[in-house]
Amino acid sequence: MEAGRLRHRVDIEVGVPVQDESGDPVLTWEPVATVWASVSPIRGREATFAGEQVLGETDTRIIMRYGPATEQITPNHRIVHQGAIFNVVQVAHVNLGQRTIE
């Protein structure tokens, strides 16, 4: 992977269940690492109901180097880039090597 393609700074966060004041479980997000990545949208879609926008989604591909900060990423994590939050749906080790995570 060329270093120039990894031009976006992203934060990796993990969901941690805690209890709020009333004892109910709440998911909070704790930072794990900040790494360089490539962030590129793949496709978008929206669902409408009665003429009003109900749901808008964009599938985004985020590529980063494999390493200590990224090797444990699972769907329990999320990526934050310039205030946008991306839920991790799937993690792929590109070419089955330990060089790139997508």
Side-chain angles (χ1 to χ4, degrees), residues 4-86:
R5 290 186 60 199
L6 304 178
R7 64 183 184 276
H8 303 108
R9 209 65 174 145
V10 299
D11 297 314
I12 303 168
E13 298 179 344
V14 65
V16 178
V18 296
Q19 291 183 345
D20 64 9
E21 305 84 38
S22 61
D24 294 325
V26 177
L27 190 63
T28 62
W29 294 94
E30 293 185 3
V32 173
T34 300
V35 297
W36 290 102
S38 169
V39 180
S40 51
I42 300 171
R43 67 178 163 264
R45 62 189 162 275
E46 62 182 35
T48 57
F49 179 75
E52 295 182 30
Q53 181 176 337
V54 177
L55 174 66
E57 292 182 345
T58 302
D59 291 338
T60 304
R61 177 175 289 128
I62 300 175
I63 300 173
M64 57 191 78
R65 281 196 172 81
Y66 180 91
T70 60
E71 65 186 358
Q72 300 299 322
I73 294 177
T74 68
N76 293 329
H77 291 80
R78 71 180 187 182
I79 309 289
V80 181
H81 173 60
Q82 295 181 342
I85 297 171
F86 301 94

Side-chain angles (χ1 to χ4, degrees), residues 1 64-67 70 93-101:
M1 161 134 315
M64 57 191 78
R65 281 196 172 81
Y66 180 91
T70 60
H93 294 268
V94 180
N95 297 327
L96 298 176
Q98 293 184 337
R99 297 185 66 205
T100 306
I101 291 181

